[in-house]
Amino acid sequence: METKASPAVAGAWSTARDYLKDLQSSGVVRVRRSLMPAIAMTLGAVLAYFIAEYGLGHTAPIFAATSALVSLGFGRDLTVRKVLEVAVGCTLGIAVGDLLMHLLGAGLWQAGIILFISILLARFIDRGVILATQLGVQSLFVVLLPPASGGPFTRSLDAIVGGLMALAITALFPRDPRVQPRRDLRELVDTFSTMLRECAGALAEADSTQAWHALVRGRGSQGKVDAIRASLVTSSEVTRLAPAYRRHRAELEEIETAVEYLDLALRNGRVVARRLASVINNAALAQGAAESIAQLLEDTADALEDMARGLIAERHEERSAQMRSARLALTEIAARTHPRELRVERLEGEALVILLRPMIIDLLEATGYDRQEAVALLPRLEG
């Protein structure tokens, strides 16, 4: 009995050890990324509490600190608008709770009525989830906590102080608007380049299943495209509001333009992956053609990663050098996108090459070529 239990215990211990190791490494990354937001949240909560207590003379103004803390938060897209939305939700929730408690009194059934009214009021004001949650939670706290010594609307004033403090910190010390778009772009390009390498591997090994895996990966990338577009909207708002970051507007516009073409290239890449599975199943490519196209896909993935390094590099000189490298590599790749160059002989293989060409055009445009220049770089197909 003891012998049978031993492998199970050893397996459980190994799993737990791997989990703790992963948790440690991911936890260190999260702590490093959260250092500045944590400082802002702490500073906002402490200053709001200090102002409400010593400036306004309120006793234990906990709602000033919580309003600032919740408004700043660890939100992915922390903007003045989102901070204002949370701050208004906090303040309005406390004000509604104060008012209804003044009219209905305190108690459990009163708390239920106040919570119900607060949630419906939030839905009437705005369709967003954040406002409804904050308004409901804060109004519930007002009813369930002991009444404030300074009067019925003391806590509402504390919440206003906290919200204003959060807005001031967001406007004066915004997060670097380039950080999140760069991170999102890196993830998007990693997904794209991995998809291309999987397609290359599928050709090299004549494995249609691997081509389908590449297609699934490509289809799952749309969420990353949507995420980077959202982070770019947020970052653009920061560059408009914060004088210190206005100089980065052109850099963000460059990323935004590239993302639009990368989205188109990804869509065309998914079409290529889907066709690839059929080509492999029908043995439509000779060995030489399969190797040539696989190499072209590998080279395209390399150029794509050069482009990403150029878009996310800190220094202008490094960005220019990497983009120039990506542009030259894609120009050379474009010159090879002809069935004859890739040793393709059968019609189905030619169709695959024709499908590759729009993807290469999109990537060329992402590096700065206009449409006509990109098309001109591809070899003409005989009519």
Side-chain angles (χ1 to χ4, degrees), residues 47-78:
L47 286 176
Y49 191 97
F50 179 85
I51 291 170
E53 184 174 39
Y54 294 100
L56 302 178
H58 295 174
T59 304
I62 188 66
F63 282 99
T66 56
S67 179
L69 189 67
V70 172
S71 299
L72 289 167
F74 280 112
R76 169 193 167 88
D77 300 322
L78 190 63

Side-chain angles (χ1 to χ4, degrees), residues 107-122:
L108 190 58
W109 69 268
Q110 289 95 332
I113 292 174
I114 291 170
L115 179 60
F116 180 70
I117 293 172
S118 299
I119 292 171
L120 292 183
L121 177 63

Side-chain angles (χ1 to χ4, degrees), residues 176-296:
D176 189 334
R178 300 169 298 169
V179 171
Q180 193 61 54
R182 284 173 173 174
R183 195 175 295 156
D184 291 341
L185 180 67
R186 182 72 265 176
E187 290 181 7
L188 178 64
V189 169
D190 284 346
T191 299
F192 196 174
S193 61
T194 302
M195 183 188 83
L196 293 177
R197 294 188 197 284
E198 284 179 339
C199 286
L203 274 172
E205 298 168 21
D207 183 0
S208 62
T209 303
Q210 195 171 347
W212 281 111
H213 287 165
L215 176 60
V216 171
R217 184 183 298 278
R219 284 173 174 167
S221 65
Q222 192 57 47
K224 292 181 173 62
V225 174
D226 297 338
I228 191 171
R229 281 179 175 149
S231 63
L232 282 166
V233 169
T234 300
S235 298
S236 298
E237 181 183 323
V238 172
T239 58
R240 287 195 301 271
L241 293 171
Y245 289 123
R246 280 177 191 161
R247 68 184 187 277
H248 300 313
R249 193 178 299 173
E251 188 179 336
L252 289 171
E253 286 173 356
E254 188 179 3
I255 293 176
E256 186 175 3
T257 301
V259 166
E260 293 307 312
Y261 290 118
L262 283 172
D263 183 23
L264 293 173
L266 257 170
R267 293 172 190 270
N268 284 317
R270 293 196 288 266
V271 175
V272 169
R274 186 165 55 244
R275 170 65 67 173
L276 196 60
S278 172
V279 167
I280 293 170
N281 283 331
N282 294 325
L285 291 173
Q287 182 67 26
E291 290 173 358
S292 298
I293 296 175
Q295 188 58 56
L296 183 139

Side-chain angles (χ1 to χ4, degrees), residues 296 324 326-338 341 357 360-381:
L296 183 139
R324 187 163 53 249
R327 199 176 294 118
L328 288 171
L330 286 167
T331 300
E332 186 272 331
I333 291 166
R336 289 153 54 194
T337 54
H338 191 287
E341 290 287 333
R357 290 162 66 97
I360 302 301
I361 291 172
D362 294 331
L363 292 176
L364 285 165
E365 288 184 271
T367 63
Y369 282 107
D370 65 33
R371 183 76 180 179
Q372 288 183 336
E373 290 173 335
V375 171
L377 291 171
L378 271 65
R380 293 186 60 184
L381 300 172

Side-chain angles (χ1 to χ4, degrees), residues 164-184:
L164 290 175
M165 180 55 64
L167 283 171
I169 288 177
T170 305
L172 293 173
F173 308 105
R175 300 174 189 178
D176 189 334
R178 300 169 298 169
V179 171
Q180 193 61 54
R182 284 173 173 174
R183 195 175 295 156
D184 291 341

